[in-house]
Amino acid sequence: MDIPVSAWTSELFGSEEKARIVRDRIGQGLVDMQANAQTSHVEAAVSSTQVHGVARYRGGYERVSAALKSIPGAELVKPNGFQFDLVRVGNALLYPFCFSKKDSNVRTAKIQNVWSVIRELFAFAPPSQQADIFGEYEFDPSSVELRPKLAALPKDTRLVLVPFACNAAGLLKPYWGVAALANDSGSLDWIIDPEPLPLPASPTPKLGIPQQQTEHPGFDEGEQPIVALAPRPQADRKRDVTPTTEAPPTEPLVNEDDEN
């Protein structure tokens, strides 16, 4: 079943077709992330889920950026001091993050660690509409000083969040939407309600390693070479001439006159 894209995504990405491509590629990247993380967890053969957590954390950025970077017009953005690439497509800067390890309401999602780069990313989000009892806002995106690579982005860039719930058992709920950072504790004020992302049925196939031959025959077990045999002339056979198996020896020359 083809799920239509929302008007806000068509506007941000430039067209309905590109919005659909971006949405589907994000879903594929997240499925690939989870498949890799689960494989790492199984192969580690440990009871802890830390291996899955590390692979999931890195894969949330790396697999999504790998899925999106080939889209025409896509731009990789690696903020100074940040170890992963983000992707800007159209006017949207995409930021994936895991908001829960269980089936939770995405509207309660929070940013776990609001450090300097996160604050700067939310400078590309709308201002929060949640004021405190004094009518003031805890986070003002216009007051954030951007590091060079973020400052170089076009002013019409809009931060699009891609929150997902995930654990070692499965990828639960991926979404995308636009939210403001309400405060330094990571609370979000959703300006555009988070929408579920459709997911593909299977991860991207990986290139396999060709089957390698593990057993090799010994030196004396190989095929014997075929030696071509030259038949004796018929005249030698009739005269009963002894077969010659080696070339006759050549007498050394004593001087140059012996050659004539």
Side-chain angles (χ1 to χ4, degrees):
M1 179 179 178
D2 187 19
I3 302 175
V5 295
S6 300
W8 67 270
T9 62
S10 299
E11 181 179 353
L12 273 179
F13 296 109
S15 69
E16 180 179 343
E17 179 183 5
K18 181 165 282 189
R20 191 184 306 275
I21 292 173
V22 173
R23 183 192 65 183
D24 294 346
R25 294 280 187 92
I26 293 174
Q28 186 67 67
L30 292 176
V31 168
D32 293 346
M33 168 209 71
Q34 177 65 0
N36 291 346
Q38 285 183 318
T39 299
S40 299
H41 174 66
V42 171
E43 292 185 351
V46 294
S47 58
S48 171
T49 59
Q50 288 181 340
V51 175
H52 175 274
V54 172
R56 187 268 307 156
Y57 173 71
R58 299 190 65 90
Y61 297 107
E62 294 177 355
R63 298 282 68 76
V64 170
S65 64
L68 294 173
K69 66 182 182 181
S70 61
I71 296 176
E75 174 189 2
L76 294 180
V77 179
K78 189 174 184 180
N80 306 76
F82 195 63
Q83 60 178 321
F84 302 109
D85 287 320
L86 302 178
V87 184
R88 184 179 186 271
V89 185
N91 292 332
L93 180 63
L94 296 152
Y95 178 65
F97 68 99
C98 181
F99 74 91
S100 179
K101 293 182 180 179
K102 56 185 179 181
D103 190 354
S104 303
N105 186 347
V106 68
R107 296 192 64 87
T108 65
K110 298 179 65 174
I111 303 295
Q112 298 299 321
N113 182 15
V114 184
W115 60 297
S116 56
V117 169
I118 300 302
R119 292 175 61 87
E120 293 175 42
L121 291 179
F122 276 93
F124 296 98
S128 175
Q129 299 175 355
Q130 297 179 358
D132 60 19
I133 59 175
F134 300 104
E136 297 178 351
Y137 298 94
E138 290 192 42
F139 177 75
D140 180 7
S142 63
S143 65
V144 177
E145 182 178 354
L146 301 177
R147 58 199 65 202
K149 290 186 179 179
L150 292 179
L153 292 177
K155 299 301 181 184
D156 57 357
T157 299
R158 176 65 73 209
L159 181 67
V160 175
L161 302 181
V162 184
F164 57 91
C166 180
N167 57 40
L171 177 62
L172 304 176
K173 288 185 175 181
Y175 299 86
W176 66 352
V178 176
L181 183 64
N183 51 50
D184 283 336
S185 65
S187 298
L188 298 174
D189 179 12
W190 290 99
I191 309 301
I192 297 177
D193 287 338
E195 299 177 0
L197 286 172
L199 297 175
S202 59
T204 302
K206 295 182 179 180
L207 294 176
I209 300 176
Q211 185 68 32
Q212 302 295 312
Q213 184 175 355
T214 56
E215 296 182 0
H216 298 277
F219 177 78
D220 58 345
E221 297 176 2
E223 295 183 3
Q224 297 295 326
I226 299 176
V227 181
L229 300 178
R232 294 178 63 203
Q234 188 66 25
D236 289 352
R237 292 185 179 183
K238 290 182 178 180
R239 291 184 299 163
D240 198 21
V241 177
T242 303
T244 301
T245 59
E246 296 183 2
T250 302
E251 294 293 334
L253 300 178
V254 177
N255 55 55
E256 294 180 357
D257 294 335
D258 289 347
E259 190 174 9
N260 297 323

